[in-house]
Amino acid sequence: MGKSSPSDIESRTDNARAPQSFYPPMSKPWFPWLMPTFVIVNVAAFVYTMYINNCPATTGRHRCVFPSLGRFSFQPLSQNPLFGPSTKTLELMGGLEWILVVKEGEGWRLISCIWLHAGVIHLLTNMISLLFIGIRLEQEFGFLKVGLVYVISGFGGSLLSSLTLRSSISVGASGALFGMLGAMLSELITNWTIYANKVMFFK
């Protein structure tokens, strides 16, 4: 048997003492279909809201923004600067109004308001955020968990709005988006060591 040189022994000793990086096996990402579906539902709800709004018939064609759009044209900017329907239409479609929930018992508005938006600007900002955050979470945790986070967070946001905004109508998916953002941040904090080790590994 051949003898190992001192340099070979030291090399094997150094390799044995070197810290071993452990990474848990990567699970196969889920196919994201729920969040894009939610986006389609929100956009469809807004288009239908604008159809019901019918600015030329209720406000006057000469006062509507982009009257060439017909009944899909927007309310005057003095009424809605976000390029959207009137407050009355949002209320009709299920917007959250405190007095209707508490006094009239219309609790369904706590859910319906999540799918409504006050205008094009409001819709675009929320849907871009939903795609950016939601698809990432759905790939990681699946549609069931992410869907529950979305609905429960949206319901919680509606409850908070009903307690604080008693003189105006509340619509939008902001509460649901904040809930999903919190879920993403909690996942990042929980697995921070894994992400930090990967960064160090590739440096």
Side-chain angles (χ1 to χ4, degrees):
M1 296 179 62
K3 295 183 179 181
S4 300
S5 64
S7 60
D8 293 337
I9 297 176
E10 291 176 0
S11 177
R12 287 197 296 269
T13 302
D14 292 339
N15 290 335
R17 293 176 180 176
Q20 300 296 319
S21 299
F22 171 75
Y23 303 109
M26 297 294 292
S27 58
K28 184 178 180 180
W30 294 74
F31 177 76
W33 63 269
L34 185 62
M35 292 299 105
T37 301
F38 280 0
V39 171
I40 294 174
V41 170
N42 278 276
V43 172
F46 180 76
V47 172
Y48 183 68
T49 301
M50 294 306 303
Y51 177 82
I52 296 297
N53 185 67
N54 194 6
C55 180
T58 58
T59 308
R61 180 181 175 86
H62 65 284
R63 297 186 59 196
C64 298
V65 179
F66 300 126
S68 59
L69 295 176
R71 67 184 300 150
F72 293 98
S73 57
F74 309 117
Q75 291 295 120
L77 296 181
S78 59
Q79 298 181 15
N80 189 339
L82 298 178
F83 297 97
S86 65
T87 301
K88 183 178 180 180
T89 302
L90 290 174
E91 178 184 329
L92 177 65
M93 293 297 296
L96 179 62
E97 191 169 7
W98 176 82
I99 192 170
L100 294 178
V101 175
V102 177
K103 302 295 184 180
E104 303 297 331
E106 298 181 0
W108 53 271
R109 292 179 179 273
L110 294 170
I111 295 296
S112 62
C113 69
I114 302 174
W115 311 97
L116 301 175
H117 288 82
V120 173
I121 297 175
H122 187 201
L123 178 69
L124 286 177
T125 54
N126 276 359
M127 293 305 98
I128 292 174
S129 300
L130 178 59
L131 288 174
F132 180 76
I133 300 173
I135 288 181
R136 162 71 177 81
L137 288 176
E138 188 175 354
Q139 288 177 327
E140 182 73 19
F141 300 106
F143 70 93
L144 181 59
K145 293 179 181 179
V146 176
L148 287 175
V149 169
Y150 185 90
V151 175
I152 293 174
S153 299
F155 179 76
S158 298
L159 284 177
L160 184 61
S161 295
S162 65
L163 295 174
T164 57
L165 301 176
R166 298 190 176 187
S167 60
S168 61
I169 291 180
S170 176
V171 293
S174 299
L177 290 174
F178 277 116
M180 296 184 69
L181 180 60
M184 186 176 70
L185 291 177
S186 65
E187 187 269 340
L188 178 62
I189 294 173
T190 302
N191 299 316
W192 180 257
T193 303
I194 297 175
Y195 294 130
N197 287 340
K198 286 184 177 180
V199 171
M200 294 299 295
F201 178 78
F202 287 107
K203 280 187 176 181

